[in-house]
Amino acid sequence: MQNTNDIILKAINKSYQKGDNTVVVHDDFNLTIKSGEFVALMGPSGLGKSTLLHLMGGLDQPTQGEVLIGGQRIDNLPQKKLTQWRAENIGFIFQSHHLLPVLTAQGNVELPLALTPLNRKQRKQHASMALQLVSMSERADHYPKELSGGQEQRVAIARAIVSDPKILLCDEPTGNLDRKTADEILALLAKLNSDSGKTIVMVTHDHKAAEYASRVINLESYILSQNNSLSKNEELLQNIEPEVDDISIGASS
Amino acid sequence: MSNSFEHSLSYIEQFFINVKQAQALTVINFKSFPQRFAASLVSILSIGCVAAVILSVLAMTEGMMKTLAQSGLDNTVLIMRAGAVSELQSVMFPAEMNILANNSKVIRDAEGQAQVSAEMFVNAEVNFTDTSGQQVSKSLALRGISATTMKFRPNFKLVSGQLFTTGVRQLLIGQAIARRMPELSVGENITLGGAQWQISGIFSDDNSVFESELWADIGMVQSDYQRGNTIQSVRLALNNIDDLVSLEKEWQDDPRLNIRVITEKQFFAEQGESLTRLIRWLGFPVALVMALGAMVAALNTMYAAIASRSKEIATHKAIGFSPFAISTSILCEAVLIALVGGVSGILPLYLVFDGWTAATQNANSLSQMMFNFDINLKLIAQSMALALLIGLLGGLLPAFKAMRLSVTEALRD
């Protein structure tokens, strides 16, 4: 029986056309992330780390295979349902925060709540709480251009968590930040993982950043281990955790 | 894990959620519009030009139709030589007028005099000195009128000066002419057909086409233009306009008469139709080509707007905004551009030209006809609707592109 919050990528094939060539990004890829885990996905560029993140968030569809979240297949959901599902279950944090310059921090955080049945007062309350969680209450009325890079990323995190999604997908969230600010942001993510039980999947090149995760997956060796495994029987793959290249650091759990 | 997405929302609920999302994004787009104003300027100006051209054409035709519609009376019949489409082409004889006047269906006054007016209509070359001291020559309509003519013009008012004296080279000028040519004031002398005429007064006639005419004694006009005792048209008032059909048949069957019978209202409506047709034929194709250009400009602006905001749009999609909401907000922005463009074209035109007197060559009389630009709410609404339509059509393809934008590609770029 699956835990309802697990993320499971099953026999994923992902390829795309580049001119006349077919570029294979993933071939028969399998991964399970348990509910409440903070997983760092590492590895060299071009291995498809961000692609995995996009598949988990329903932003992209696999060429073949299944993406199950909480026991629900999302790779074959119609676009309309997928959009709605994403709004309710997934929070995205990008390297570039993509905050809207015309809205204040408060306005940016309130934006995803336009997708909910909450009224204006409730939206304000929720956004204030989210800003408080990321220690940005005092800057609520500031516009992005009045904030530092770290503060902008905090607001982006508040925006990602404001509708209380269970899963946070972070694509190089500290890629543009200095070490000190990056550490603050990572500590914040670790806190959200430990205190609020958010499942976090973070793509990063930064080994220091990976130390905050409860599990680090080096994608290069992970794929190698999958290819070397004796059997690719689907039933077995569901039960086998490729622990060889799975480095558990456990800094935050 | 929330599974509420599994509960299928009703179409109505889904629609309202989409509208709410579109509203939120549209507000954001509108807020950021000032930042993109400069980039949108080409679209704004081209849509503004289209709105202005369309409004000009509509205001001109409306103004002309209004001027001509106000020129005819319901119970007045205009009679010309058979085959004549204008008074200028017609020639009639006093004997014919007498036959017409003797008909019992024509209104008579207390003395038993029939309400009939014989008129001359000449395309006159008018020479005078303008305000800068230069000799100018204008082609104006000169109407020779008889004593009964005023009975057919109940809205006639002497604005200044006095009526002309019969048998003297004096004339009245319509106030539309006086407005366009302020040199032609009361007491001034002008040259008509080689002879000096004095302006005795200026008249108004409820903005009708007659305000674009010079009125003089019919005898003097016949004499100066060597027309003998011929006339060009006859106006007569009927007791009951419904008698016209039977009357027309009676006159057609009369071997002494060879005439065309038409109500004055119908006559001016036909003139209006031929005049405005020309404006439409010239104006609408120009406006159409401009509209296509403006649409391409709007299309280009919105494509550029999407290209520069692809990451922002991708973020909205990632957050969970529906493609419908995103494309609707793009369309709303295109319509906003069109709205600003429409106002920028319509407002200056309204402020400067509403009520402005313009002149055109009346093909039927070969002389100038004055009319007012009539910019009313209906025409403004029509021009604005066209502007908004251009914006909407120009925004359709970009909105579709935004709807189909791949989040992963946009975020990767």
Side-chain angles (χ1 to χ4, degrees), chain A residues 137-213:
Chain A
S137 295
E138 288 177 7
R139 305 272 175 176
D141 295 330
H142 287 61
Y143 287 91
K145 65 178 178 194
E146 298 163 350
L147 301 173
S148 68
Q151 287 170 332
E152 285 179 306
Q153 197 58 298
R154 279 173 185 273
V155 176
I157 293 172
R159 182 180 62 187
I161 61 172
V162 70
S163 47
D164 196 24
K166 295 293 181 285
I167 299 168
L168 290 180
L169 301 176
C170 316
D171 198 351
E172 301 268 13
T174 56
N176 287 342
L177 304 176
D178 60 63
R179 185 73 265 155
K180 186 172 170 291
T181 315
D183 283 339
E184 286 172 11
I185 295 295
L186 291 160
L188 178 62
L189 290 175
K191 192 168 180 294
L192 286 168
N193 171 245
S194 60
D195 295 0
S196 310
K198 307 274 182 216
T199 305
I200 299 180
V201 185
M202 175 174 73
V203 166
T204 184
H205 283 107
D206 180 3
H207 285 277
K208 288 264 185 196
E211 287 175 9
Y212 285 83

XYZ file of all heavy atoms in Angstrom, chain A residues 137-213:
587
model
N 7.650 39.684 7.326
C 6.466 40.483 7.649
C 6.723 41.975 7.521
O 5.874 42.741 7.049
C 6.006 40.180 9.071
O 5.582 38.857 9.136
N 7.919 42.379 7.974
C 8.198 43.816 7.984
C 8.374 44.385 6.578
O 8.342 45.595 6.393
C 9.457 44.087 8.811
C 9.187 43.906 10.291
C 10.417 44.100 11.137
O 11.457 44.503 10.573
O 10.324 43.853 12.344
N 8.604 43.519 5.632
C 8.814 43.988 4.243
C 7.582 43.723 3.369
O 7.680 43.763 2.150
C 10.016 43.274 3.620
C 11.290 43.387 4.408
C 12.029 44.623 3.999
N 13.204 44.832 4.819
C 14.069 45.789 4.622
N 13.894 46.639 3.627
N 15.107 45.947 5.392
N 6.457 43.450 4.000
C 5.269 43.054 3.241
C 4.858 44.087 2.198
O 4.384 43.742 1.112
C 4.109 42.789 4.199
N 5.061 45.358 2.523
C 4.612 46.414 1.606
C 5.691 46.847 0.624
O 5.515 47.822 -0.108
C 4.132 47.636 2.398
C 2.903 47.301 3.226
O 2.142 46.416 2.785
O 2.726 47.897 4.302
N 6.820 46.156 0.642
C 7.900 46.527 -0.274
C 7.722 45.858 -1.628
O 7.242 44.739 -1.718
C 9.258 46.127 0.317
C 9.692 47.005 1.447
N 8.983 47.133 2.610
C 10.775 47.816 1.583
C 9.598 47.976 3.426
N 10.693 48.412 2.819
N 8.146 46.584 -2.656
C 8.130 46.008 -4.004
C 9.427 45.225 -4.221
O 10.438 45.523 -3.566
C 7.996 47.115 -5.054
C 6.617 47.697 -5.087
C 6.281 48.806 -4.306
C 5.629 47.114 -5.874
C 4.989 49.326 -4.310
C 4.337 47.632 -5.887
C 4.022 48.733 -5.107
O 2.749 49.223 -5.114
N 9.440 44.242 -5.134
C 10.632 43.418 -5.343
C 11.909 44.244 -5.528
O 12.971 43.858 -5.041
C 10.282 42.619 -6.602
C 8.815 42.467 -6.537
C 8.308 43.748 -5.936
N 11.794 45.372 -6.257
C 13.015 46.149 -6.517
C 13.572 46.766 -5.219
O 14.719 47.214 -5.195
C 12.737 47.240 -7.550
C 11.775 48.304 -7.106
C 11.587 49.362 -8.164
C 10.570 50.377 -7.662
N 10.054 51.259 -8.650
N 12.766 46.787 -4.180
C 13.236 47.341 -2.903
C 13.792 46.261 -1.975
O 14.128 46.539 -0.829
C 12.069 48.060 -2.190
C 11.511 49.233 -2.979
C 10.131 49.673 -2.510
O 9.511 48.973 -1.696
O 9.671 50.728 -2.996
N 13.858 45.018 -2.507
C 14.321 43.907 -1.662
C 15.666 43.371 -2.167
O 15.995 43.501 -3.349
C 13.295 42.765 -1.706
C 11.871 43.089 -1.233
C 10.952 41.903 -1.499
C 11.858 43.458 0.243
N 16.416 42.753 -1.261
C 17.675 42.112 -1.681
C 17.358 40.756 -2.319
O 16.216 40.269 -2.234
C 18.558 41.896 -0.456
O 17.966 40.914 0.370
N 18.372 40.123 -2.949
C 18.160 38.835 -3.603
C 17.617 37.790 -2.644
O 16.696 37.033 -2.972
N 18.180 37.759 -1.448
C 17.739 36.785 -0.449
C 16.308 37.045 -0.010
O 15.513 36.109 0.153
N 16.002 38.338 0.161
C 14.633 38.682 0.575
C 13.631 38.316 -0.516
O 12.540 37.825 -0.227
C 14.560 40.183 0.897
C 15.255 40.535 2.199
C 15.395 42.040 2.379
O 15.467 42.794 1.411
N 15.462 42.476 3.626
N 14.041 38.548 -1.769
C 13.146 38.187 -2.877
C 12.880 36.681 -2.877
O 11.746 36.237 -3.086
C 13.768 38.603 -4.219
C 13.704 40.099 -4.458
C 14.337 40.506 -5.778
O 15.514 40.150 -5.998
O 13.673 41.160 -6.567
N 13.943 35.904 -2.636
C 13.760 34.453 -2.630
C 12.884 34.025 -1.456
O 12.092 33.084 -1.576
C 15.128 33.750 -2.600
C 15.114 32.294 -3.002
C 14.571 32.028 -4.405
O 13.422 32.319 -4.705
N 15.408 31.470 -5.272
N 13.000 34.720 -0.334
C 12.122 34.409 0.810
C 10.655 34.642 0.429
O 9.773 33.851 0.772
C 12.467 35.315 2.005
C 13.656 34.835 2.797
C 14.043 35.876 3.847
N 15.258 35.475 4.527
C 15.275 34.673 5.608
N 14.149 34.249 6.117
N 16.410 34.321 6.157
N 10.441 35.777 -0.271
C 9.064 36.069 -0.703
C 8.588 34.979 -1.668
O 7.437 34.529 -1.596
C 8.983 37.470 -1.366
C 7.577 37.730 -1.914
C 9.357 38.555 -0.367
N 9.499 34.538 -2.558
C 9.128 33.477 -3.508
C 8.771 32.195 -2.755
O 7.848 31.466 -3.150
C 10.266 33.222 -4.484
N 9.489 31.933 -1.660
C 9.172 30.741 -0.849
C 7.808 30.918 -0.184
O 6.981 30.004 -0.165
C 10.286 30.482 0.197
C 11.576 30.074 -0.520
C 9.863 29.398 1.187
C 12.794 29.966 0.378
N 7.575 32.132 0.334
C 6.264 32.404 0.951
C 5.162 32.187 -0.076
O 4.106 31.621 0.229
C 6.221 33.835 1.481
N 5.404 32.626 -1.313
C 4.410 32.441 -2.385
C 4.184 30.944 -2.652
O 3.058 30.511 -2.913
C 4.903 33.130 -3.658
C 3.927 33.045 -4.825
C 4.456 33.732 -6.065
N 5.678 33.100 -6.548
C 6.425 33.577 -7.548
N 6.078 34.710 -8.131
N 7.518 32.959 -7.927
N 5.288 30.167 -2.560
C 5.167 28.734 -2.840
C 4.401 27.991 -1.747
O 3.758 26.980 -2.011
C 6.562 28.123 -3.012
N 4.488 28.501 -0.504
C 3.865 27.745 0.600
C 2.508 28.306 1.030
O 1.829 27.711 1.851
C 4.804 27.683 1.840
C 5.094 29.092 2.364
C 6.083 26.930 1.515
C 5.838 29.122 3.697
N 2.123 29.457 0.449
C 0.943 30.147 0.971
C -0.338 29.314 0.851
O -1.220 29.398 1.699
C 0.767 31.537 0.302
C 0.359 31.400 -1.157
C -0.219 32.400 1.062
N -0.438 28.497 -0.200
C -1.658 27.697 -0.312
C -1.473 26.319 0.328
O -2.238 25.396 0.050
C -2.085 27.589 -1.787
O -0.978 27.265 -2.586
N -0.448 26.228 1.159
C -0.181 25.043 1.958
C -0.055 23.761 1.141
O -0.725 22.750 1.419
C -1.267 24.879 3.031
C -0.829 23.914 4.128
O 0.404 23.761 4.305
O -1.705 23.319 4.770
N 0.807 23.768 0.112
C 1.003 22.526 -0.646
C 1.839 21.548 0.179
O 2.617 21.968 1.035
C 1.775 22.998 -1.881
C 2.559 24.170 -1.395
C 1.721 24.835 -0.344
N 1.682 20.257 -0.098
C 2.440 19.272 0.668
C 3.826 19.065 0.076
O 4.723 18.542 0.707
C 1.678 17.936 0.680
C 0.340 18.017 1.420
C 0.564 18.253 2.905
C -0.741 18.313 3.674
N -1.480 19.560 3.474
N 3.971 19.460 -1.179
C 5.255 19.222 -1.863
C 5.837 20.534 -2.361
O 5.129 21.345 -2.974
C 5.052 18.256 -3.063
C 4.527 16.909 -2.561
C 6.342 18.088 -3.861
C 4.016 15.996 -3.647
N 7.122 20.738 -2.065
C 7.830 21.902 -2.603
C 8.885 21.415 -3.580
O 9.707 20.558 -3.243
C 8.513 22.703 -1.484
C 7.620 23.473 -0.523
C 8.479 24.211 0.516
C 6.751 24.474 -1.261
N 8.849 21.926 -4.795
C 9.832 21.555 -5.801
C 10.725 22.771 -6.049
O 10.237 23.831 -6.448
C 9.136 21.131 -7.101
C 8.165 19.949 -6.948
C 7.440 19.669 -8.267
C 8.889 18.686 -6.480
N 12.006 22.617 -5.757
C 12.917 23.767 -5.795
C 13.998 23.530 -6.857
O 14.722 22.534 -6.786
C 13.597 23.969 -4.444
S 12.458 23.812 -3.055
N 14.087 24.422 -7.812
C 15.078 24.300 -8.872
C 16.183 25.318 -8.627
O 15.988 26.509 -8.878
C 14.401 24.528 -10.239
C 15.249 24.002 -11.377
O 16.413 23.619 -11.138
O 14.741 23.967 -12.514
N 17.295 24.863 -8.126
C 18.441 25.736 -7.805
C 17.987 26.973 -7.012
O 18.205 28.100 -7.429
C 19.125 26.214 -9.101
C 19.638 25.091 -9.966
C 21.088 24.729 -9.672
O 21.612 25.190 -8.637
O 21.665 23.985 -10.466
N 17.357 26.769 -5.862
C 16.762 27.923 -5.163
C 17.806 28.913 -4.644
O 17.464 30.053 -4.357
C 15.993 27.276 -4.006
C 16.692 25.985 -3.766
C 17.167 25.516 -5.103
N 19.077 28.436 -4.513
C 20.096 29.352 -3.972
C 21.167 29.675 -5.009
O 22.209 30.232 -4.684
C 20.764 28.716 -2.730
O 21.296 27.435 -3.122
C 19.782 28.534 -1.599
N 20.863 29.349 -6.260
C 21.854 29.515 -7.336
C 22.324 30.940 -7.531
O 23.448 31.167 -7.967
N 21.463 31.896 -7.206
C 21.821 33.305 -7.433
C 22.246 34.025 -6.161
O 22.396 35.238 -6.168
C 20.626 34.069 -8.027
C 20.383 33.697 -9.466
O 21.270 33.138 -10.114
N 19.193 33.975 -9.967
N 22.407 33.272 -5.082
C 22.616 33.947 -3.787
C 24.034 33.728 -3.252
O 24.685 32.722 -3.563
C 21.604 33.408 -2.764
C 20.126 33.521 -3.163
C 19.252 32.858 -2.105
C 19.723 34.978 -3.336
N 24.486 34.654 -2.411
C 25.796 34.474 -1.769
C 25.673 33.399 -0.682
O 24.563 32.994 -0.313
C 26.293 35.806 -1.194
C 25.342 36.363 -0.162
O 25.148 35.706 0.882
O 24.759 37.443 -0.385
N 26.799 32.951 -0.181
C 26.813 31.806 0.746
C 25.930 32.034 1.975
O 25.112 31.177 2.340
C 28.269 31.549 1.171
C 28.553 30.345 2.023
C 28.448 29.046 1.255
N 27.135 28.438 1.390
C 26.605 27.613 0.506
N 27.219 27.315 -0.611
N 25.433 27.065 0.704
N 26.091 33.212 2.566
C 25.377 33.482 3.821
C 23.860 33.467 3.587
O 23.111 32.832 4.320
C 25.828 34.849 4.366
C 25.278 35.186 5.724
C 25.938 36.453 6.262
C 25.248 36.970 7.507
N 23.920 37.504 7.262
N 23.461 34.181 2.520
C 22.024 34.249 2.215
C 21.507 32.867 1.825
O 20.401 32.466 2.215
C 21.774 35.246 1.060
O 22.534 36.418 1.305
C 20.327 35.608 0.931
N 22.322 32.146 1.039
C 21.926 30.796 0.627
C 21.686 29.919 1.854
O 20.694 29.176 1.912
C 23.006 30.185 -0.263
N 22.575 30.024 2.824
C 22.417 29.217 4.052
C 21.121 29.560 4.782
O 20.437 28.672 5.301
C 23.628 29.429 4.982
C 24.848 28.638 4.496
O 24.642 27.668 3.731
O 25.985 29.007 4.849
N 20.800 30.839 4.788
C 19.542 31.260 5.444
C 18.336 30.644 4.746
O 17.399 30.148 5.384
C 19.414 32.795 5.405
C 20.352 33.508 6.373
C 20.353 35.015 6.171
O 19.486 35.523 5.443
O 21.244 35.671 6.731
N 18.376 30.688 3.420
C 17.243 30.147 2.640
C 17.142 28.625 2.851
O 16.042 28.077 3.047
C 17.427 30.464 1.135
C 17.361 31.975 0.892
C 16.407 29.725 0.263
C 16.029 32.623 1.189
N 18.300 27.949 2.820
C 18.299 26.489 2.982
C 17.832 26.087 4.376
O 17.094 25.100 4.533
C 19.711 25.940 2.705
C 20.109 26.052 1.233
C 21.626 25.968 1.081
C 19.418 24.967 0.414
N 18.238 26.880 5.373
C 17.784 26.605 6.739
C 16.267 26.745 6.816
O 15.583 25.974 7.498
C 18.475 27.562 7.707
N 15.778 27.733 6.080
C 14.331 27.957 6.054
C 13.608 26.762 5.426
O 12.586 26.276 5.938
C 14.046 29.239 5.256
C 12.600 29.640 5.062
C 11.920 29.917 6.403
C 12.508 30.874 4.175
N 14.153 26.249 4.303
C 13.554 25.082 3.647
C 13.595 23.870 4.578
O 12.615 23.121 4.700
C 14.288 24.763 2.334
C 14.090 25.752 1.183
C 14.965 25.390 -0.013
C 12.622 25.796 0.750
N 14.744 23.698 5.261
C 14.887 22.566 6.196
C 13.860 22.680 7.322
O 13.283 21.684 7.767
C 16.312 22.541 6.752
N 13.604 23.916 7.741
C 12.631 24.141 8.812
C 11.216 23.781 8.326
O 10.431 23.167 9.057
C 12.695 25.618 9.227
C 11.979 25.972 10.504
C 12.370 27.378 10.922
C 11.707 27.838 12.194
N 10.284 27.992 12.103
N 10.923 24.181 7.099
C 9.602 23.863 6.535
C 9.425 22.352 6.429
O 8.332 21.822 6.613
C 9.448 24.495 5.130
C 9.223 26.005 5.095
C 9.381 26.544 3.678
C 7.834 26.354 5.634
N 10.530 21.667 6.145
C 10.503 20.210 6.043
C 10.293 19.570 7.406
O 9.434 18.702 7.589
C 11.807 19.728 5.397
C 11.951 18.228 5.441
O 12.847 17.713 6.101
N 11.074 17.527 4.755
N 11.060 20.056 8.396
C 10.988 19.410 9.719
C 9.743 19.841 10.497
O 9.086 19.008 11.116
C 12.252 19.722 10.515
O 12.365 21.119 10.667
N 9.408 21.121 10.452
C 8.285 21.614 11.267
C 6.929 21.391 10.610
O 5.953 21.061 11.266
C 8.446 23.114 11.557
C 9.664 23.405 12.429
O 10.357 22.424 12.788
O 9.927 24.586 12.726
N 6.866 21.620 9.295
C 5.554 21.538 8.629
C 5.370 20.254 7.847
O 4.312 20.037 7.248
C 5.384 22.726 7.674
O 5.684 23.940 8.317
N 6.414 19.444 7.804
C 6.288 18.150 7.133
C 6.209 18.233 5.624
O 5.709 17.322 4.959
N 6.675 19.345 5.061
C 6.637 19.461 3.589
C 7.630 18.476 2.969
O 8.763 18.350 3.441
C 7.053 20.863 3.136
C 6.287 21.991 3.786
C 5.008 22.275 3.049
C 4.284 23.446 3.688
N 2.823 23.284 3.650
N 7.196 17.822 1.907
C 8.122 17.004 1.116
C 8.850 17.981 0.185
O 8.195 18.752 -0.515
C 7.348 15.977 0.276
O 6.524 15.233 1.169
C 8.282 15.065 -0.482
N 10.180 17.950 0.232
C 10.923 18.911 -0.581
C 11.861 18.159 -1.522
O 12.604 17.273 -1.102
C 11.733 19.883 0.306
C 10.781 20.679 1.221
C 12.568 20.840 -0.555
C 11.454 21.658 2.144
N 11.779 18.516 -2.777
C 12.736 17.990 -3.760
C 13.474 19.195 -4.319
O 12.855 20.120 -4.829
C 12.031 17.214 -4.899
C 13.073 16.584 -5.821
C 11.100 16.155 -4.334
N 14.808 19.162 -4.149
C 15.602 20.328 -4.537
C 16.679 19.911 -5.532
O 17.461 19.000 -5.268
C 16.255 20.932 -3.284
C 17.212 22.079 -3.563
S 17.797 22.847 -2.035
C 18.914 21.575 -1.425
N 16.694 20.568 -6.660
C 17.770 20.362 -7.636
C 18.868 21.361 -7.302
O 18.595 22.554 -7.117
C 17.259 20.594 -9.072
C 18.411 20.727 -10.050
C 16.332 19.462 -9.488
N 20.087 20.899 -7.181
C 21.177 21.824 -6.863
C 22.528 21.289 -7.377
O 22.700 20.086 -7.575
C 21.253 22.075 -5.331
O 22.254 23.036 -5.083
C 21.561 20.806 -4.560
N 23.428 22.219 -7.620
C 24.807 21.862 -7.952
C 25.709 22.047 -6.737
O 26.878 21.708 -6.753
C 25.341 22.782 -9.067
C 24.824 22.420 -10.412
N 23.876 23.176 -11.064
C 25.101 21.370 -11.232
C 23.602 22.616 -12.234
N 24.343 21.514 -12.354
N 25.138 22.623 -5.713
C 25.902 23.095 -4.571
C 25.939 21.998 -3.483
O 24.907 21.662 -2.895
C 25.210 24.375 -4.062
C 25.924 24.958 -2.864
O 26.976 24.424 -2.459
O 25.424 25.963 -2.324
N 27.143 21.451 -3.216
C 27.269 20.395 -2.214
C 26.887 20.889 -0.831
O 26.328 20.150 -0.028
C 28.703 19.847 -2.210
C 28.957 18.967 -3.393
N 28.610 17.644 -3.417
C 29.502 19.248 -4.599
C 28.929 17.118 -4.588
N 29.484 18.082 -5.334
N 27.210 22.152 -0.558
C 26.851 22.726 0.748
C 25.344 22.723 0.922
O 24.810 22.439 1.991
C 27.379 24.161 0.839
C 28.878 24.263 0.994
C 29.215 24.410 2.469
C 30.716 24.631 2.636
N 31.098 24.382 4.047
N 24.654 23.083 -0.180
C 23.182 23.130 -0.132
C 22.629 21.731 0.115
O 21.682 21.542 0.888
C 22.633 23.694 -1.436
N 23.263 20.750 -0.530
C 22.785 19.374 -0.410
C 22.875 18.863 1.029
O 22.133 17.967 1.435
C 23.591 18.474 -1.344
N 23.775 19.452 1.793
C 23.942 19.014 3.183
C 22.680 19.250 4.018
O 22.503 18.656 5.067
C 25.131 19.737 3.822
C 26.468 19.218 3.307
C 27.642 20.022 3.854
O 27.414 20.866 4.762
O 28.763 19.827 3.362
N 21.827 20.152 3.569
C 20.597 20.433 4.316
C 19.530 19.361 4.058
O 18.541 19.299 4.772
C 20.043 21.808 3.923
C 20.836 22.960 4.511
C 21.986 23.426 3.903
C 20.428 23.573 5.706
C 22.715 24.467 4.432
C 21.146 24.629 6.255
C 22.292 25.071 5.613
O 23.006 26.109 6.153
N 19.729 18.548 3.027
C 18.709 17.563 2.673
C 18.851 16.298 3.524
O 19.919 16.002 4.054
C 18.851 17.205 1.193
